[in-house]
Structure formats: structure tokens, C-alpha cells
Amino acid sequence: MKKFPPLFKGFPQFAHGGDYNPDQWWHDTPDIVDQDMAFARAAKCNTFSVGIFSWGEWEPEEGKFDFSRLDALMDRMAAEGNHVLLATPSAAFPNWMVNKYPQIAKMTSNGVRTPLAGRHCHCWRSPIYREKVTIINTKLAQRYGRHPALAGWHISNEYNTACYCPLCTEAFRNWLKSRYGTLEELNRAWWMRFWSHTYTRWEQVQPGLNCSDGLALDWFRFTTEQICDFMRHEIVPLKQYSDRPVTTNMMGYYPGVDYWRIAEVCDFIADDRYPGWTDLKDFPGTAARAAFCHDMHRAMKKRPWLLMESTPSNLNWQPYYRLKRPGLHRAEELLAVAHGADGVMYFQFRKGRGGSEKMHGAVVDHARSTGTRVFRDVAEVGETLEKIRPVLGTSTVPEVAVVFDWDAMTALNVSGGPSQSRKLVMETILAHYRALWELNIPADVIESRSDFSGYKLVIAPMLYALHPGVAGRIREFVENGGVWVSTYLTAYVNETNLCFLDGFPGGGLREVFGLWNEELDGLTPEDRQFITPAEDNMLGWTGRGEVADFAERIHPEGAEVLGVYGSDFYAGEPALTVNAFGRGFAYYQAARCDGKFLHDFYERLAAKHGVKTLLKTPPGIHVMLREGDGEKYLFFFNFQPKVQSFPLDGITGTEMVTGERVEKAMTLPAFGSAVVRLD
Ligand code: GLA
Ligand code: ZN
């Protein structure tokens, strides 16, 4: 594999820096930028997101613009050799604007317009708001589009939420018209004869009235499309006057937006990740969840991405305000790098004196000191990133992919049942991913529309809904020698949430898995169920799986039984199967089993089908690989709060920060991390 070019042209360094808001300070503290640039040098920060919520500063009155301070800031950044991700300020509108044009405010599903209450208060369709956005974005693009300090564009901020105003409702109906053509077809797709909901006029379609799970699913898709459309609108003037790449900051697996669609609008991927570290019993679990997001962001464009926000220390919006313990900050940031980030940045560079985020972690605290523990932690990351610079542009090409499909998750979540409180789609996907993470098997996180063909093994937990074509592509993948894993609650419905007929898994998958799923037992927390190995099963699986929440009664139609249920009226019936299909294998887990089971299962599977693990390590030790241009880098982490040593199984190299030789064994302190250039 070849190394990728830098995220920002002509900037062959890891980005390190953060959200920077001198506009909150410069009226009263004119030398704030001087102060901050000194801090930036000391912390080895080189990249700043500027102006995210600063519209009122750039346009204090309608049509009156003042860029004098931003001019000076951009020039200063260039002089310092720093880079700026300049924001379009659409995430928060100024007071004067909403006073004069109240219709720019978004409407809740109860028909109330939100005033200037926080941020993200605007409608997606308001022509006036769109025009105001075009004007300010054009000004910014004309003025700074080719500025030497400009690395790229930070479009808005964490786009989210829906608007239910008449304009947005109208747009929804038009979107439905282009999708379904006729009301008759819409009624069919959404099963609207149910409860006499049949539409007879398009005006009856009201997204606020959540009367159909088909509607709820399409409203989710449409909300994503609204955001994409708004983002495309924002980008027009930027592309006209600037040659720098655009992105917007995502929020991991936030359920409200299908980020694969947003990714299509971005030139590069950026994410905000705040692990929190408040689960004291399971630090590795917290790390694995973060890595899951990282692997998705690398997979979205199959290239390095940017961690746009993280906290240098604590968070003010979690239940607890816990400090990062020594080592943890470096491990958290390097974890993103290990999983493909070519830059790590913070919210926020300097802590404000007021406002609701004055307690949020920052590089520069109220004490204004370079001597704080947090400041030193940040500076250490800056130094580390300089030392590991050769890693830049490398990436990972995993043999394994985990499917996390926003549509499939939403389809199940908006459906009534089964077991309303125990669907846990996200948690389930994370549990499967975690087993791979523990086994140090690199994985991409993809969606069901992604290309499966490059992978040896694809795992798609709870892929409840199928887009057209997905079943066919699964079939083709397995026929051509791929190994596929599905679970209970797979392929129950089509893309409009209508159940498949003639037996689950539907869409033609019954044949691929060689089984029929007759019924699903939704267990209460008191129910006890478990699975045990079938004799001489071809996987050689010998453990036991504790079952919770879901257990399907399946009937093999050619599949080989690997495990059976241990209790209740279906004791002895199959619970874990594999079907040899074409040149590949389709596994089916009929029940929700515990993490230990998943770990054992994937360990067996990897051994059986020749999927490589990077290294076998004790619990809490995580290893990840980046490579390119013939160079290989292994990242090591200890996410346990205790020192751990482990053998290296022939791996040799040089630790890039200390310069020490690495061979035979490695010892890492609590929350320790290391980056090794392999020989
Ligand atoms: C989000 C936002 C930031 C800030 C942080 C606080 O990620 O994008 O503006 O509010 O949360 O953690
Ligand atoms: Zn609207």
C-alpha cells in the first residue's frame, strides 16, 4: 500500500490543536492572540478551528461586515506556520437575524418555532437563512479561500436535528413523491390501511404525527437528506472561491443522522470523540467504543481522517466530571492515530470565562499556565506526534468488516417490538466489534451498501432491514469464498419496513444461511437460557454462551449445527449454525450471547478461516497496525489501570518516542502507550 498525501496540501505534519475562539476575548483582552500563540508553541499545537459560532462577530448588523480581527488572526496564524480550519458560522445565528426574520428558526413537531436558544436553531429550508448563509460563506471564501493559513473548511458544527415547519414538511412530501410516485404506492410501502391511516391527499402526510413506522424510517432518511442538501448549499461558494477541502464534524454513531450520506459530501472525514472514561470497571470497553468510531471514519473514505474534537481533560456534560488519569490522555489521542487519524484536536484551546462551557476541559485553563498537568499532557501529545511523523499517511487494510447500518438500526428502533427495551442494536454491534478489538484483529466498520468484496470475513449483527440488492451481494460474497456472520433479527423487513414473507431471514437469505427462523423468544431479565457446543462441530467450539434478550427457534435446511440451546422447551434445538455455500461459509447466531462467547467464537473463526490477529495479548492490551510504502507501525496500548507485561511473539522494532529497541516482551504502565516502527 502507498502512503496517502497529507490531509492538508503542503502540510506534512499531524494536525494538533483545537477549537479556538479568541472572538470571545479580543474586545476586552486585545493581546489574547499573542498570549495564545505562545501557549500554542509550547503545546506544539499547529491547527485551529476558528469562527464556528462567530457569525455575530463577522456580521454584527445586517449587511455590515467586520473582518478586521479575523484578517489579523489569519495572517498571524500563517506567520506562526499554523493552519486554520475556518468555519462557516451557520450553526448559530445572531440575535438581530432571528428578530428580523423569525421564520429562519426551526419548528418543533408541536409547531413551535425555537428562538435563539443555544445553537442549531435554524430551519433547513428557509430561503432567507440559506441566502444569509450564502452571503457570509461567500465573503469568507472570497477573503480567505486561498489564504496561506487556510487548511480547509469546517462546515457548520455537528449538524443535527429536524425541522417540522411548513417548508420542510412540503420538501418531505416532494421527496416522497419522487421516491414513491403515487399516494397509492406510498400507502402500500408504509402499510397505511392499518388503523385506517390511508392517505387520500399528499397534505395529509405530516411528519410530526408519528403514525407509521414506515414514515418514521423515511423521516429519518429525509432528515439526513435535508442536512446533506443544506451542506451542499453551504459549500457552493466555498468551491467557487477556494481550493481547500471541506469537512464537517461528525458525532460517531449518533443515531439521528446517517453519516455515510454526509461523508459523501465531505472531502475528508472529521469526528468528535469524547470517551469520558467514567466506567471504572471497564476502561477497555470505553476504548473499544472509541476505536469502533475511528475504524468507521477510516473506512468511510478508506484513508486517514481527522479527530476534530476531543477533550484535553474532563467533560462538563457527562454524569461525572472525572479527570483523565496519568497516561490516559496520550493513550486516547494515540488510539485515534492508531486507527487512522492524521490529526488530533481538542474542544477547546482556551477555556472561556463564562457561558455554559466554562467548566469544559481546555488546553489553556483559567489559571493561564503552562505548568498544569493538562497542559503538559497536551504538550506531550504534541511532542509524540512530531516524533512519529513517518506514520503520517499510512493506513490499515483490514481483512474483516463489521456492518453498522443506520437504516437497519433505525428500522428496528422505530418498529413496535420485539422487546421494546432490549433491542440494543448499537450495543450489540459494539459487542461483536469488541471481540475483534480484544483479539487485535483490525476491522473496518462499514454499512450494508459498502463493497464487501475486499474482505475475508464480514460480520453484520442484527441487520434487520435490507436495502434492495443487499441480499444478493451477501449471497455473491459467500459464493465467492467469503465468510459471513449474521445474528438473530436479520432480514425481517425490506427497505420500507415491510416484513418479508415466506420465512426469515428474508430476501433470499434463507438459502444462503441454510435455515428457517420460525420464531423469536424475547426473554425477560429473569429468563435463563444458554447454548452449548454440538458434538464434533466443525469450528471446534467448546465453550458455553450465556443467552439474554433474544433467542430464535431456527430449523436447519442444510446448515450444520455448531451449538444448541441448553434449557426450556426448545432445549437441544440449534442456536449456532454454519452453512457451506458456494466457496464460502454463512454463520448464524440465533441468540444474543455474552462477550466471552463472542471472544471465543471469533477466535475460533479467525483460526479456522485464516484471519490474522496482530498479536495475542492479555485483557486490556490493544494492538493496532498502520502501514504504507513498505513501512509498518504497531501501536500498543494498556487500557487497564495497572502495569502489564506481555510477550511479543517475534515482533521486533524501535519505539519511536524513546528510541528504545523493542523485542521479546513489552511492559506498559497503567494507561501506557507505545508506537513501534517494525524492523
Ligand atoms: C461538541 C461541540 C463543541 C462543544 C463540545 C463540548 O462536540 O461541537 O462545540 O460543545 O461538544 O464537549
Ligand atoms: Zn424548516
Side-chain angles (χ1 to χ4, degrees), residues 523-574:
L523 305 174
T524 72
E526 293 76 40
D527 285 328
R528 288 283 164 265
Q529 183 55 279
F530 62 97
I531 71 173
T532 54
E535 247 175 72
D536 297 329
N537 67 80
M538 71 90 134
L539 204 52
W541 173 56
T542 53
R544 173 185 160 108
E546 300 300 330
V547 174
D549 306 327
F550 294 119
E552 284 173 345
R553 291 193 52 242
I554 57 172
H555 305 289
E557 300 169 327
E560 179 182 333
V561 180
L562 304 171
V564 295
Y565 287 112
S567 67
D568 218 320
F569 75 96
Y570 45 94
E573 291 187 5

Side-chain angles (χ1 to χ4, degrees), residues 19 52-53 119-120 154 157-158 249-251 272-274 309-311 315-317 347 357 360:
D19 279 24
I52 297 174
F53 302 107
R119 50 193 196 182
H120 309 296
H154 182 298
N157 192 69
E158 294 187 343
N249 44 345
M250 303 183 180
M251 296 184 275
D272 299 345
R273 190 97 326 265
Y274 294 99
E309 293 181 24
S310 59
T311 179
L315 292 167
N316 66 340
W317 48 263
F347 180 86
E357 292 184 321
H360 193 290

Side-chain angles (χ1 to χ4, degrees), residues 4-8 11 13-16 303-307 336-337 339-344 385 389 391-395 626:
F4 288 89
L7 283 180
F8 314 133
F11 188 59
Q13 292 175 39
F14 279 98
H16 184 226
R303 57 169 298 170
W305 56 282
L306 176 67
L307 180 64
V337 175
H339 288 261
D342 267 3
V344 295
L385 293 176
R389 198 179 291 182
V391 175
L392 203 72
T394 59
S395 192
R626 285 184 70 161

Side-chain angles (χ1 to χ4, degrees), residues 127-138:
I128 294 172
Y129 197 60
R130 284 190 172 220
E131 188 196 324
K132 292 289 178 206
V133 164
T134 298
I135 294 170
I136 188 74
N137 289 8
T138 304

Side-chain angles (χ1 to χ4, degrees), residues 265-281:
V265 191
C266 295
D267 292 326
F268 67 96
I269 301 298
D271 186 50
D272 299 345
R273 190 97 326 265
Y274 294 99
W277 308 110
T278 50
D279 184 352
L280 307 193
K281 293 202 193 71

Side-chain angles (χ1 to χ4, degrees), residues 294-363:
H294 302 338
D295 285 340
M296 178 170 68
H297 294 121
R298 185 193 58 244
M300 278 177 164
K301 294 218 183 270
K302 295 209 184 303
R303 57 169 298 170
W305 56 282
L306 176 67
L307 180 64
M308 186 70 89
E309 293 181 24
S310 59
T311 179
S313 179
N314 40 17
L315 292 167
N316 66 340
W317 48 263
Q318 287 238 341
Y320 303 100
Y321 192 71
R322 199 163 195 273
L323 297 178
K324 285 189 198 173
R325 268 41 189 177
L328 202 43
H329 178 62
R330 184 178 187 266
E332 178 185 322
E333 304 300 316
L334 283 185
L335 184 69
V337 175
H339 288 261
D342 267 3
V344 295
M345 297 175 56
Y346 309 113
F347 180 86
Q348 47 196 335
F349 187 72
R350 181 191 275 269
K351 220 178 250 197
R353 286 190 74 186
S356 65
E357 292 184 321
K358 64 179 184 291
M359 301 283 195
H360 193 290
V363 178

